[in-house]
Amino acid sequence: MTSADPARAASALDLGLLAPGRAGSRVETETGDGAYLQALLDAEAALARAQAALGLIPAAATVAISAAAQAENFDLRGLALSASVGGNPVIPLVGALRAAVGAEHAAYVHRGATSQDIMDTATMLVAERARVVCLADLDRVAAALARLAALHRDTPMAGRTLTQHAVPTTFGLKVAGWRSLVLDARDQLAGCTLPAQIGGAAGTLAALIPADEAHSVFELVVRYAAEAGLDAPELPWHVLRTPVAELGGALALTAGALGKFAADVLVLGRTEIGEIAMRSGGAGGSSAMPHKANPVNATLIASAARQVPALASVLYASMVAEDERPAGAWHAEWSSLREALRQVGTAAELAANLAEGLDARPERMAANLALSDGLIVSERLVGELEPLLGRETARAVLSAAAQAAGQQGTSFRQTLGETPEINALIDGKQLTEEDLDQWLDPAGYLGAAADLVDRSLSRLPRTGRSRPAK
Amino acid sequence: MTSADPARAASALDLGLLAPGRAGSRVETETGDGAYLQALLDAEAALARAQAALGLIPAAATVAISAAAQAENFDLRGLALSASVGGNPVIPLVGALRAAVGAEHAAYVHRGATSQDIMDTATMLVAERARVVCLADLDRVAAALARLAALHRDTPMAGRTLTQHAVPTTFGLKVAGWRSLVLDARDQLAGCTLPAQIGGAAGTLAALIPADEAHSVFELVVRYAAEAGLDAPELPWHVLRTPVAELGGALALTAGALGKFAADVLVLGRTEIGEIAMRSGGAGGSSAMPHKANPVNATLIASAARQVPALASVLYASMVAEDERPAGAWHAEWSSLREALRQVGTAAELAANLAEGLDARPERMAANLALSDGLIVSERLVGELEPLLGRETARAVLSAAAQAAGQQGTSFRQTLGETPEINALIDGKQLTEEDLDQWLDPAGYLGAAADLVDRSLSRLPRTGRSRPAK
Amino acid sequence: MTSADPARAASALDLGLLAPGRAGSRVETETGDGAYLQALLDAEAALARAQAALGLIPAAATVAISAAAQAENFDLRGLALSASVGGNPVIPLVGALRAAVGAEHAAYVHRGATSQDIMDTATMLVAERARVVCLADLDRVAAALARLAALHRDTPMAGRTLTQHAVPTTFGLKVAGWRSLVLDARDQLAGCTLPAQIGGAAGTLAALIPADEAHSVFELVVRYAAEAGLDAPELPWHVLRTPVAELGGALALTAGALGKFAADVLVLGRTEIGEIAMRSGGAGGSSAMPHKANPVNATLIASAARQVPALASVLYASMVAEDERPAGAWHAEWSSLREALRQVGTAAELAANLAEGLDARPERMAANLALSDGLIVSERLVGELEPLLGRETARAVLSAAAQAAGQQGTSFRQTLGETPEINALIDGKQLTEEDLDQWLDPAGYLGAAADLVDRSLSRLPRTGRSRPAK
Amino acid sequence: MTSADPARAASALDLGLLAPGRAGSRVETETGDGAYLQALLDAEAALARAQAALGLIPAAATVAISAAAQAENFDLRGLALSASVGGNPVIPLVGALRAAVGAEHAAYVHRGATSQDIMDTATMLVAERARVVCLADLDRVAAALARLAALHRDTPMAGRTLTQHAVPTTFGLKVAGWRSLVLDARDQLAGCTLPAQIGGAAGTLAALIPADEAHSVFELVVRYAAEAGLDAPELPWHVLRTPVAELGGALALTAGALGKFAADVLVLGRTEIGEIAMRSGGAGGSSAMPHKANPVNATLIASAARQVPALASVLYASMVAEDERPAGAWHAEWSSLREALRQVGTAAELAANLAEGLDARPERMAANLALSDGLIVSERLVGELEPLLGRETARAVLSAAAQAAGQQGTSFRQTLGETPEINALIDGKQLTEEDLDQWLDPAGYLGAAADLVDRSLSRLPRTGRSRPAK
């Protein structure tokens, strides 16, 4: 930060004050301007190495360029300030890199490339490095949730729909669902193609290879991608933005998956519900209220889940990129994608901490299940009584009992036991009091929940990316 | 539309007036309320057939349900009006279907299912049927663009970046790029999993199978999905919304791919540029101006590309679905997804007509290439002159010549020929006038464009969905 | 709907099946294709009347045009189908209207206008008519909430932050806040300028007035706006889209305001919280579970609040309208704005019904306040004990007591009473047991809640639109 | 940046590398983390001053707090890192500020406030300070465009619709339209209410005022707002987010207004069109292509216009804020609003430079007008010939002539002159050759363009904010 008045710069810049959770996270390190600068330099160095390997430039130039291509040698803020002239930071960076390697090698820096080649390749490098961090945290989330789901495979709790108790479910099934969703996101994120970009001024690679060797240009492309540690592109994708848009979609899916987890944690942790506890990574204090334990991690994940879909919409819309380089659509991708990577990477780290510190409170689950005094299994009672009383009568009897219990404050079970139609069944030996008691036990109406948990936990993350993280 | 005053209903409803291109399209037929109603009924019938196959309900009930499950037997507007009571159209539909099958079979309608099971399955059926239509049109687009790219593999035109001429490219490469992007979208859309949904009131399948047979519930799930003609789900996905969000992303990607094609058509067809002509499917008239031939299809595609990313953002955000059925997030998916399907299906049909009627105008491309009098290959001149003059001198000479030509209105070629440094090279036999002429020919600076076209055209659509369309 | 095969059309069209709440609503009637068609015809008739008033066309033509301009005389679906040729429905409509008025008057139909003049004016007419409906429902919401806030001005309940009990508040203050937000939205919506549009082919009004009378063209503009019942524009706004974007923003604000109301209703109505009851307009049943009473209205409002911001983003982005009529940005407005009007109009009607049927359950509020056994007023205890014990000691004592109560299951009040520091204060006459009891009463720590309610209820809706609704 | 390893921090943080135009701008200085920190401290100091003024805390404490409340005294990065524990930066900041003022005054720091009070007030302060900068630049834009519109009040150019020449217009009218749109945005932005926030833990102000003085709490609120230099709120707006959403909408409107300007600049500056030139603030170079002059400012403005609508949609959606402080919706506002302020402030500064350096090229406008050889005034010819030939014949004659001219490459004027129907008119003295020439002159068919320019330029910015910027 040598180029600007320090006080003014401190006032101007983003140090993470508005990004709790991101500040200090691993994804922040991989996506900051310094990381971006290094990725830009890595792209230039990879190009030089690939060109040297094909005999297009001298090997000595490559050595000089690789040696110089270290972010700490450059004035980051100065580059940022200079970027406004040409509209991107590569133009001043190429000048600075040429100066750094000296007159002898300057001509071999950025040879035949256009700014977008370097910018796009750097973006994919940053994305790849952020993805490594993010996938590791998603794997932590999935592992912690697998343990929790197995532990509570058979713990009954209220299933809730449209905010109301519906029928019983198990905490294990809920957690297995969270994990399944996280794996969906993980697999989609891991499956995104992150290609290097090389095309020259308008995507014909004209300045990159002698005209009579155009047919062998793919060798250069493949070598460049390999040197950069990225996928090889089918075509220059200057204005074919599938990689960015697809990544944006995968990040939005991940934000949504983590957001579902957070949303349920926020509901279950409400003061009145209290069905979960957070040992760590979740409970933050309040300066004003000593008793409060705020679900901070879930809150910050929920915040990310509100923002990433809008960022992804910018990326999808930026596919509409006219000509061989659009005037605006490309530029709109940069901070939108970086912000999406940061938000999702932060949310994944927060979610891993949250998941690893999450406990169920089965006693609260049981207490809440009992709140409705059996009404939560009314669906079951309908099913059991229909064959005995007929559909209409069964429903009428149950509705009346439910209503009576609600109005008179007596127990639903008791009210039911005093209903003439029920008594007639008992007298007729078609029904016993024990049947009624059993039907009214929420733990006896869990359907295939346990089997669904088992089935779900047998799913493994796709091995996905075999390429080792750099 | 029997339930409402006809005049008022006509006033109220959407007949396609605001949707030019969609009105009368095939995707409209597959996504309208009638199609949705049929899909809801198909879902109920598939459930009954699956239950009968497993011996859970009588075969005769299945026959009655399948026979009754025809959209034309139901009062569509009446169902729409009744849907507000419970918040979805399945509740009144189940009542109407029970009435239609008669008291004998009524109990076997919707047995054990919840509204969302039917709604989600119907949504996937509508999506599947709309996708078939859409993929066919995307295949038409890709085929037409493949022909056009091959035809113009070597047709030079100006490459444009940030609205300015950059270096030459070919129309073939531009078109091959459009096709590549369309194939990306096609493959992603074709690859989306569209699963049936069955879970019961809270996703435990409790009312769908006797408690002691819970382990065999997957047989029912698999059979139900097969009867519906959809993928079998891993888990009930009531609140695990990957299928909807992923489809939304694929639709946004498709809108973006078609939008890129349209954006270029709009630029190239500008009055001053005039490099393409539209034989059909593109040129609409104006009532006021007899001379006008508006690029209507490209305009309507561009309109869709502006809307679908926002719709996709709603779908991604709706993944944050609390509990076992959320109060709002699920409901927000319905019209957002349907509208995205319609917009993309319409755009694909318009794009197919546009692509099949598109012609290049190579003479206009050549004329535009000549506009800058050789400046468009200044990059090449830099490359050729650098070894002869040194980097700095080469650039200085070219900049001066370009500036002089611009100011004095003389030819860049001529100005260059009068430059002392160039003359010295010619005198020294390091350069000939013919070299200069050749270097200034845009058609001689196309890089690997032709090879990129060949490579790109060798890509085929993924065979993708083997399951035949229903 | 005469132009298409009826069965196919039924399958294709939107009758409201996916829009519970909208189907049958008043806003649906004002925004349907029939209403839009009438608005298009109203715009044509207003133009003719204005032109006749200035002597530009014969009065007889105006009479014929006004008489013919009735939506029921036109084939709506046929117009929709024809709209694809030119990309908008005005082109075929002008043809049909000319046919309807006969050869004698045909030349005076749409004289000098362009399609966009009529389309934009019709859009503003539809917006105006939908706004009237919507404002009336917002006024109902505000009135019902005012009554509820006054009734519960002093009813204590738990204030909740980040899902946890924070400090007490009152239900009256919460409701007054809802109303305040609704009034904000109402005032902004009422304040939107909805101008007529007239500019001709490129906004110069060239064909609308003889060249030598150009200076008097504003008379025509003003008269046209008056005839249409809309505001007069400053300039033709073909590509100056403030009216549409501003309206989109006001609709998003309204959706957000109603969404906040719904969000709180959904929380307060949760089974475990139960602090409100819905007499009407809110509670929908379930076919599977006889006991359920779903918060349907709040759910559907929440759904709208998730969709309208994305629609508004499309409208804001469509301001970037190149040239004198953009190729896509204008077209993207039509269904986005109409859908936003419908969603907000529906939400307002649902919210009015919800608000008018909403009851508080003070006994549940009291029970929930008591849940934390006094911890909810820990902030107050800090404030009261700090002067007596010093800041650090006060906080330490309270934290320890809170923790002890939590772990040992004894009462916080009792634990506090057994704390040495507290006993010392009591022994020293600095504190009485009664002080402690009083401080622990949530109803005694309501701050300025009552005053805030009074202040808020004194705010009236801005009289806003003096122009009477048509 | 003392708290973290410097190299790692450099890698992690945002110094503006991805934000050309923003880096070094005035709005960056007003919105950076340092500016935010100062605003947080200003809010704390304003609260203390207001409390002292009402005798609630000692005056000496206020002096100490105001003196300590200087951003440079605090470890910004350290605060950012600590913010994750409680989920916002105010919690650690209050601790640091208490330490800074010493034990004597610590109890009077943040007295009775909650984190959100300080965070929201700081956000409004940052917004106010960024707005001042932004309005000044919008005023520069409007002033430059006023000059340009006046200068080219009568300069004819092609009006273009759907990318095609339509009828002539003037550059003055186009520029006047840009200005009008910018004024719309300016007025809306200037009109936003930016209130201070004070409510305490749940918005009742309970800890801020002794219970028996609750009725006078508004005095504190008003004084606090005045001390902060912000509007006084009607109610605590913790969860009544009109100020943030309305500001988001105004920023999206501004981005759209500037985006329209940029979009037209990008079209008019295309190589083939060339109707404008950029003296400064617009034309950036390319490292590869010496001849290029890229429209950098317009490109960066266009990029902002693609992003701000999505950010605004996040803000509108965040109005759905449950309870007395939502878990996520509030947090999602912070960076979305800050980014919107930065994007718009940057775009306004770029637009001011662009507008001040913009020149028309009337000779290119004339040349392009001539491209269609008179077809651009075909609307006029229809109007002139209709009375002479009848509607149908007039249109047929013109269409035939246009088609013939297009196919045979002869002049439209000449073709027209050889048409029998036209010759008959000339022979019959109903028409002269001079009439034809005059009608075919684009400069003679400008409608009310000049009057519209005059009318539009008479509009002044609303005086709006009388409160002087701090």
Side-chain angles (χ1 to χ4, degrees), chain B residues 160-161 165 272 291-292, chain D residues 160-161 165 272 291-292 378:
Chain B
R160 297 171 175 98
T161 59
H165 282 197
E272 288 84 0
H291 69 287
K292 279 204 77 177
Chain D
R160 297 172 175 97
T161 59
H165 282 198
E272 288 84 0
H291 69 287
K292 280 204 75 176
S378 65

Side-chain angles (χ1 to χ4, degrees), chain B residues 158 160-167 266-267 269-273 275 286-296 299 313 364 368 371-372 375-379 382 391 395 398-399 402, chain D residues 158 160-167 266-267 269-273 275 286-296 299 313 364 368 371-372 375-379 382 391 395 398-399 402:
Chain B
R160 297 171 175 98
T161 59
L162 306 190
T163 74
Q164 304 300 301
H165 282 197
V167 296
L266 290 168
V267 168
R270 280 195 167 270
T271 304
E272 288 84 0
I273 298 179
E275 299 184 355
S286 156
S287 62
M289 298 164 283
H291 69 287
K292 279 204 77 177
N294 287 324
V296 171
T299 294
S313 77
R364 293 289 312 145
N368 287 334
L371 271 183
S372 72
L375 284 172
I376 198 169
V377 291
S378 66
E379 181 191 56
V382 171
R391 177 179 174 77
R395 291 188 162 250
L398 288 165
S399 290
Chain D
R160 297 172 175 97
T161 59
L162 305 191
T163 73
Q164 304 299 302
H165 282 198
V167 297
L266 290 169
V267 167
R270 278 195 168 270
T271 303
E272 288 84 0
I273 298 178
E275 298 184 356
S286 156
S287 63
M289 297 164 284
H291 69 287
K292 280 204 75 176
N294 287 324
V296 170
T299 294
S313 77
R364 293 290 312 145
N368 287 334
L371 271 183
S372 73
L375 284 173
I376 198 168
V377 291
S378 65
E379 183 191 55
V382 171
R391 177 178 175 77
R395 290 185 164 253
L398 288 165
S399 290

Side-chain angles (χ1 to χ4, degrees), chain C residues 5-170:
Chain C
D5 169 53
R8 191 166 182 276
S11 180
L13 303 176
D14 179 358
L15 306 183
L17 192 72
L18 299 192
R22 187 194 94 192
S25 70
R26 285 179 302 147
V27 79
E28 190 186 45
T29 308
E30 298 296 352
T31 55
D33 275 3
Y36 230 102
L37 174 56
Q38 187 57 57
L40 290 166
L41 291 163
D42 290 346
E44 294 284 6
L47 177 60
R49 287 197 303 271
Q51 289 173 320
L54 272 72
L56 296 167
I57 68 169
T62 296
V63 173
I65 292 169
S66 292
Q70 300 302 322
E72 58 268 27
N73 298 339
F74 294 83
D75 172 8
L76 186 45
R77 179 69 177 164
L79 293 170
L81 293 171
S82 306
S84 66
V85 179
N88 73 62
V90 177
I91 298 174
L93 177 62
V94 169
L97 183 57
R98 285 192 174 130
V101 298
E104 184 186 356
H105 304 300
Y108 304 113
V109 167
H110 192 71
R111 191 177 185 86
T114 194
S115 301
Q116 190 173 1
D117 292 332
I118 301 307
M119 194 76 185
D120 281 351
T121 300
T123 298
M124 291 294 106
L125 281 171
V126 166
E128 170 61 22
R129 293 161 187 174
R131 179 167 66 173
V132 168
V133 167
C134 189
L135 291 177
D137 281 327
L138 293 175
D139 287 340
R140 284 177 57 204
V141 175
L145 295 180
R147 287 190 298 271
L148 198 61
L151 188 63
H152 291 287
R153 176 182 182 272
D154 302 303
T155 305
M157 72 183 297
R160 298 171 175 98
T161 59
L162 306 191
T163 73
Q164 303 300 301
H165 282 198
V167 297
T169 184
T170 67

Side-chain angles (χ1 to χ4, degrees), chain A residues 160-166 267 269-272 287-292 294-295 368 371 375 378-379 382 395, chain C residues 160-166 267 269-272 287-292 294-295 368 371 375 378-379 382 395:
Chain A
R160 298 172 174 99
T161 60
L162 305 190
T163 73
Q164 303 301 300
H165 282 197
V267 167
R270 280 194 168 271
T271 304
E272 287 84 359
S287 62
M289 298 163 284
H291 69 287
K292 279 203 78 176
N294 287 324
N368 288 333
L371 272 182
L375 284 173
S378 66
E379 182 191 57
V382 171
R395 289 185 165 255
Chain C
R160 298 171 175 98
T161 59
L162 306 191
T163 73
Q164 303 300 301
H165 282 198
V267 167
R270 280 194 167 271
T271 304
E272 286 85 358
S287 62
M289 298 164 284
H291 69 286
K292 278 204 78 176
N294 286 325
N368 288 334
L371 271 183
L375 284 173
S378 65
E379 183 191 56
V382 171
R395 290 185 165 252

Side-chain angles (χ1 to χ4, degrees), chain A residues 335-409:
Chain A
S335 65
S336 300
L337 179 61
R338 196 243 296 263
E339 185 64 17
L341 286 167
R342 279 178 170 171
Q343 296 262 1
V344 170
T346 298
E349 189 168 329
L350 292 168
N353 295 338
L354 175 60
E356 292 174 352
L358 199 65
D359 285 328
R361 298 178 62 191
E363 75 290 357
R364 292 288 313 145
M365 294 175 181
N368 288 333
L369 267 177
L371 272 182
S372 71
D373 191 27
L375 284 173
I376 199 169
V377 291
S378 66
E379 182 191 57
R380 178 182 195 173
L381 291 173
V382 171
E384 302 283 1
L385 291 176
E386 262 189 23
L388 302 173
L389 293 175
R391 178 178 173 77
E392 296 310 317
T393 307
R395 289 185 165 255
V397 160
L398 288 165
S399 290
Q403 210 173 349
Q407 287 169 353
Q408 299 155 20

Side-chain angles (χ1 to χ4, degrees), chain B residues 390-461:
Chain B
R391 177 179 174 77
E392 295 311 317
T393 307
R395 291 188 162 250
V397 161
L398 288 165
S399 290
Q403 209 173 350
Q407 285 168 357
Q408 299 155 22
T410 54
S411 139
F412 176 58
R413 169 69 182 84
Q414 184 185 341
T415 311
L416 210 58
E418 295 164 359
T419 304
E421 290 87 345
I422 299 292
N423 283 332
L425 290 175
I426 291 175
D427 294 346
K429 309 287 184 199
Q430 296 176 275
L431 182 69
T432 67
E433 296 280 352
E434 291 71 34
D435 287 340
L436 269 185
D437 290 339
Q438 186 194 330
W439 294 347
L440 282 161
D441 175 16
Y445 193 62
L446 298 173
D451 297 281
L452 290 168
V453 172
D454 295 343
R455 176 187 171 89
S456 179
L457 291 184
S458 70
R459 171 180 171 187
L460 301 179

Side-chain angles (χ1 to χ4, degrees), chain C residues 2 12 52 57 86 100 128 148 150 154 172 179 196 237 255 280 306 308 398 405 420 423 430 444 453 462:
Chain C
T2 64
I57 68 169
E128 170 61 22
L148 198 61
D154 302 303
R179 176 180 175 271
W237 47 281
S280 68
R306 287 172 164 271
V308 180
L398 287 165
N423 282 333
Q430 296 177 273
V453 171
R462 252 184 251 154

